[in-house]
Amino acid sequence: MPFDITRTRAAYPALTEGFVHFDGAGGTQTAQPVIDAVAAAMGAAIGNRSTAFAPGRRSLDIVEAARSAVADLLGARPEGVVLGPSATALTYTLARTLGAAWRPGDEVVVSRLDHDANVRPWVQAAEAAGATVRWAEFDPATGELPAGQYADLVGERTRLVAVTAGSNAIGTAPDVAAIAKTAQAAGALVCVDGVHSVPHGPTDLASLGADFLITSAYKWSGPHLAAMVADPDRWEQLRPAKLLPSSDAVPDRFEYGTPSFPLLAGVTAAVDHLATLDPEATGSRRERVRAGLAAAQAHEEAVFDRLLAGLAARPAVTVYGSPARRCPTVSFRVAGLTPADTAAALGAAGCCLSSGDYYAYEYFRTMGLRDSGGAVRASVYHYNTVDEVDRLLAELDRIATGGERMAR
Ligand SMILES: Cc1ncc(COP(=O)(O)O)c(C=O)c1O
């Protein structure tokens, strides 16, 4: 059955405002069931977690439900789901925890394709331990991250390999499974940044080969919260810095302070919503989420193909990278205009696109584009349409003509 875009769009009340959102990589619009769940939890009697009274038990249930939902989204076990405020905060927690055991001479491998959230926490933890940082390089022409280089980068002193499953700048989806295999054969742990990839297709912790996988719910129709998953046995081996009276259990001991219970209710609702994207799907929530995201992926790819073809056909537009396996995200520049000016001109016309480096710091620095403003990013989410692509391309034509005038 073709993807029902009308039904899908109806689930996002913000779309009625009329903006064209090609900024899903920076955060998607929120689905109505998520808004309802957050509001219901906000309005309900809620106490801090306690088994003594019903509102306290409600909070416990909300946390448990969120763990179970994220586990279904990623193919993980609920007891292995650590919840937190953002992917950045969770990665810092993990880096500090693992880094405490590193010694001078140990090595950490990061990539220049990654968002800085999966780079800097590792670099800083390595510096604190006197460990050495090694860099995986992308191909500047294609934007691919060759998996073969990891055979040279990883050795017996490698403690950790951090790599993205999807570049938030140019969409590249590296062969994480191959990279993980190389890393784990040398005894290294693998932390995969799934923030950009998870919204765009079914994800499976085991097939990725990741020891740790991180995702942010606000990239998949949910609230501004994140999760980091691993096998519970792995968490059992790790001791984060923590308050003395806080729970020492797994996964709770990796979570700091009192969480936002209403937003956690929204995380569960977001996963439930993704499970409805293919209305014909049946089975467990995990099966329905996978089917829903597979249906969304096919739709996104069709919309994205039209966008890529449209950008390629415009001589005034320079597109960066052409990775074979990718998420539906692309960075480009328009001749004669800075990326910020392009984004502002598009924004004035109601088209929402980010500009700059979007924290893909090493990518833009390596490309020599960072100091001159980075690029403009268009990322497709499942509520986007080919009509929106055509509207964006028409706006680009209008702007490019003006831009060339400005450059003369
Ligand atoms: C690929 C990627 N990783 C990590 C992050 C950081 O996520 P958070 O805002 O949850 O810290 C982002 C945010 O845009 C991202 O795109």
Side-chain angles (χ1 to χ4, degrees):
M1 197 183 96
F3 191 68
D4 187 343
I5 187 65
T6 308
R7 171 181 169 277
T8 302
R9 285 179 66 85
Y12 294 86
L15 297 181
T16 59
E17 289 190 41
F19 296 107
V20 173
H21 288 283
F22 284 116
D23 58 345
T28 58
Q29 303 307 300
T30 310
Q32 185 66 54
V34 176
I35 300 166
D36 294 342
V38 174
M42 281 275 183
I46 291 262
N48 208 336
R49 284 168 288 189
S50 168
T51 51
F53 47 94
R57 287 194 291 277
R58 193 171 272 160
S59 300
L60 284 167
D61 289 348
I62 286 174
V63 175
E64 202 180 312
R67 293 200 206 286
S68 154
V70 171
D72 281 351
L73 177 67
L74 303 178
R77 282 169 56 194
E79 320 88 75
V81 176
V82 173
L83 301 161
S86 68
T88 306
L90 288 171
T91 310
Y92 264 114
T93 299
L94 185 60
R96 287 197 199 102
T97 304
L98 293 177
W102 297 343
R103 298 288 168 261
D106 285 347
E107 296 183 3
V108 174
V109 181
V110 292
S111 101
R112 295 203 199 275
L113 188 66
D114 272 74
H115 186 288
D116 217 47
N118 200 31
V119 175
R120 222 51 56 187
W122 302 113
V123 169
Q124 291 163 2
E127 277 166 8
T132 303
V133 176
R134 306 194 68 185
W135 292 89
E137 307 286 348
F138 60 86
D139 176 338
T142 63
E144 289 184 355
L145 187 71
Q149 68 185 305
Y150 283 83
D152 297 327
L153 288 168
V154 169
E156 59 178 21
R157 294 304 302 265
T158 311
R159 295 288 162 260
L160 180 107
V161 173
V163 68
T164 187
S167 155
N168 70 312
I170 55 168
T172 312
D175 189 349
V176 168
I179 295 168
K181 213 168 154 195
T182 305
Q184 285 154 352
L189 294 171
V190 178
C191 176
V192 174
D193 179 349
V195 174
H196 190 66
S197 64
V198 166
H200 299 298
T203 299
D204 190 36
L205 178 65
S207 358
L208 277 176
D211 293 292
F212 305 96
L213 174 63
I214 297 176
T215 185
S216 275
Y218 73 99
K219 313 284 192 181
W220 33 265
S221 314
H224 286 81
L225 284 183
M228 166 167 78
V229 303
D231 191 300
D233 293 341
R234 173 75 60 204
W235 291 131
E236 289 291 353
Q237 294 159 7
L238 301 177
R239 296 260 146 210
K242 62 176 279 299
L243 304 184
L244 285 181
S246 68
S247 171
D248 205 27
V250 164
D252 309 58
R253 70 169 175 245
F254 296 89
E255 298 170 348
Y256 292 127
T258 309
S260 165
F261 300 117
L263 294 188
L264 284 175
V267 168
T268 304
V271 174
D272 285 336
H273 171 67
L274 297 177
T276 68
L277 288 176
D278 176 356
E280 292 188 350
T282 54
S284 67
R285 179 170 57 188
R286 168 89 182 129
E287 287 163 333
R288 285 178 288 112
V289 167
R290 285 184 65 84
L293 284 170
Q297 185 173 29
H299 169 76
E300 288 176 5
E301 278 170 7
V303 175
F304 188 64
D305 283 351
R306 189 174 181 107
L307 174 62
L308 271 191
L311 293 175
R314 284 165 169 77
V317 173
T318 303
V319 169
Y320 298 102
S322 56
R325 280 171 27 140
R326 72 191 302 173
C327 301
T329 297
V330 60
S331 276
F332 61 92
R333 280 190 181 191
V334 177
L337 284 176
T338 67
D341 284 345
T342 305
L346 291 171
C351 293
C352 307
L353 284 82
S354 302
S355 71
D357 68 8
Y358 356 106
Y359 287 22
Y361 176 91
E362 294 291 340
Y363 174 80
F364 283 104
R365 206 182 54 76
T366 307
M367 292 293 286
L369 296 169
R370 196 172 174 276
D371 291 343
S372 54
V376 183
R377 175 178 65 186
S379 68
V380 168
Y381 193 54
H382 58 241
Y383 47 56
N384 287 124
T385 65
V386 289
D387 288 350
E388 288 181 323
V389 168
D390 292 347
R391 184 169 154 195
L392 171 61
L393 294 172
E395 290 301 339
L396 281 174
D397 286 339
R398 191 181 57 75
I399 289 163
T401 317
E404 275 158 17
R405 251 201 321 275
M406 281 168 64
R408 271 202 295 271

